[in-house]
Amino acid sequence: MDARTAVRERRSIRKFKPDEVSEKIIREILEDARWAPSWGNTQPWEIYVVIGEALKRFREANCQKLLEGVSPSPEIKMPETWPEVLKRRYTEVGKSVLTSLAIPREDQQERLQYSADMYSFFHAPCLILFCIDKTLVVEYAMLDVGLILQTICLLAHDRGLGTCILAASVRYPDVLRELLKIPENKSLVIGVALGYPDRDSPVNHFARQRTTLDDLVTWLPFPS
Ligand SMILES: Cc1cc2nc3c(=O)[nH]c(=O)nc-3n(C[C@H](O)[C@H](O)[C@H](O)COP(=O)(O)O)c2cc1C
């Protein structure tokens, strides 16, 4: 698959088949992904591959926290206030997901079930977690983690695998720290679910939106 096709075709996968991804394939993807660029070649990402029993336990505990209504406490803070236009895009993707699954917005029970699915990492057979050293400047390290994340997502897509980057996987860091023995001097950044996409599920097919290039780009000098 050429780079352009991979970039255009990759999308977040929110329903996976139960099929395992072999350790060999995960290893090959990570072998390639470590060629992602990073500031000064520092390669600050520290990666945990969570599969099998460890993933099952983490999935259950993470979902449990959500259902108990425990307040999340992610180590990389999520925005509290943001520009209206971004809020609108965020709301739109949520709407697209629910509509594709025929979940009415007012159906609290169904929505909670969907959230439980998300906090179960959409039942993907593998979750790859990223940590960074706590001494790093978070804002800058996020660039590096973002680069390897997208590289992994593209490489996975090239192999017929699906991914979903999941803030929902690191909202309850205590669970992870206890189960996976994450060292105290590391911050939990993000996780990405990895598995074979359920190609029949409408949640993996809804039309995605992007703003136009003209909304994003200022040309200097202006073209005309
Ligand atoms: C940092 C980050 C966190 C995300 N967290 C979640 C999440 O918790 N749940 C989810 O369903 N999607 C999550 N996503 C996926 C985004 O919703 C998705 O990338 C965006 O809507 C664009 O859609 P696409 O990936 O299908 O092109 C996350 C993406 C990023 C980059």
Side-chain angles (χ1 to χ4, degrees):
M1 184 180 286
D2 63 274
R4 185 170 177 232
T5 307
V7 169
R8 284 293 192 129
E9 282 187 352
R10 180 221 56 85
R11 61 176 295 144
S12 295
I13 294 302
R14 296 186 174 88
K15 190 159 177 25
F16 291 90
K17 290 186 186 167
D19 313 30
E20 299 295 323
V21 183
S22 74
E23 189 185 324
K24 179 173 174 285
I25 291 178
I26 300 171
R27 191 174 280 278
E28 285 171 2
I29 289 172
L30 295 176
E31 279 281 355
D32 290 341
R34 79 203 154 89
W35 288 96
S38 60
W39 174 62
N41 202 25
T42 45
Q43 304 159 70
W45 40 70
E46 299 182 26
I47 302 172
Y48 292 76
V49 177
V50 194
I51 51 174
E53 186 57 29
L55 181 58
K56 181 172 175 280
R57 286 171 59 191
F58 173 37
R59 178 186 288 131
E60 285 168 4
N62 198 53
C63 189
Q64 184 72 21
K65 291 267 183 196
L66 172 83
L67 297 175
E68 284 169 359
V70 178
S71 296
S73 52
E75 295 178 0
I76 305 298
K77 297 298 164 223
M78 293 181 83
E80 280 170 17
T81 53
W82 17 321
E84 273 309 312
V85 62
L86 273 65
K87 250 188 220 167
R88 201 171 61 239
R89 292 176 195 153
Y90 180 87
T91 310
E92 283 302 322
V93 76
K95 267 192 211 160
S96 298
V97 166
L98 295 182
T99 306
S100 77
L101 292 168
I103 300 175
R105 279 188 80 73
E106 59 285 359
D107 190 334
Q108 295 302 331
Q109 201 49 44
E110 281 282 307
R111 287 182 66 167
L112 183 63
Q113 182 52 52
Y114 173 75
S115 296
D117 246 29
M118 180 161 70
Y119 279 72
S120 305
F121 327 128
F122 303 119
H123 298 277
C126 175
L127 184 78
I128 303 176
L129 284 165
F130 295 82
C131 291
I132 55 164
D133 197 277
K134 278 187 178 164
T135 56
L136 287 168
V137 174
V138 168
E139 289 85 344
Y140 222 69
M142 289 305 97
L143 294 174
D144 298 335
V145 173
L147 285 163
I148 196 168
L149 254 183
Q150 169 74 337
T151 306
I152 288 171
C153 293
L154 294 174
L155 289 165
H157 181 70
D158 176 49
R159 286 167 176 266
L161 285 157
T163 52
C164 190
I165 302 168
L166 281 172
S169 64
V170 288
R171 304 260 288 158
Y172 298 114
D174 294 356
V175 171
L176 264 173
R177 290 197 168 276
E178 198 183 313
L179 280 173
L180 307 179
K181 309 282 177 252
I182 310 269
E184 265 315 305
N185 60 338
K186 308 293 170 192
S187 289
L188 271 160
V189 176
I190 196 84
V192 59
L194 174 76
Y196 291 96
D198 179 340
R199 300 199 188 276
D200 296 331
S201 175
V203 78
N204 293 334
H205 289 291
F206 64 81
R208 297 170 303 148
Q209 308 295 328
R210 291 295 192 266
T211 57
T212 63
L213 205 57
D214 286 346
D215 272 349
L216 300 174
V217 181
T218 305
W219 298 88
L220 299 174
F222 291 108
S224 60

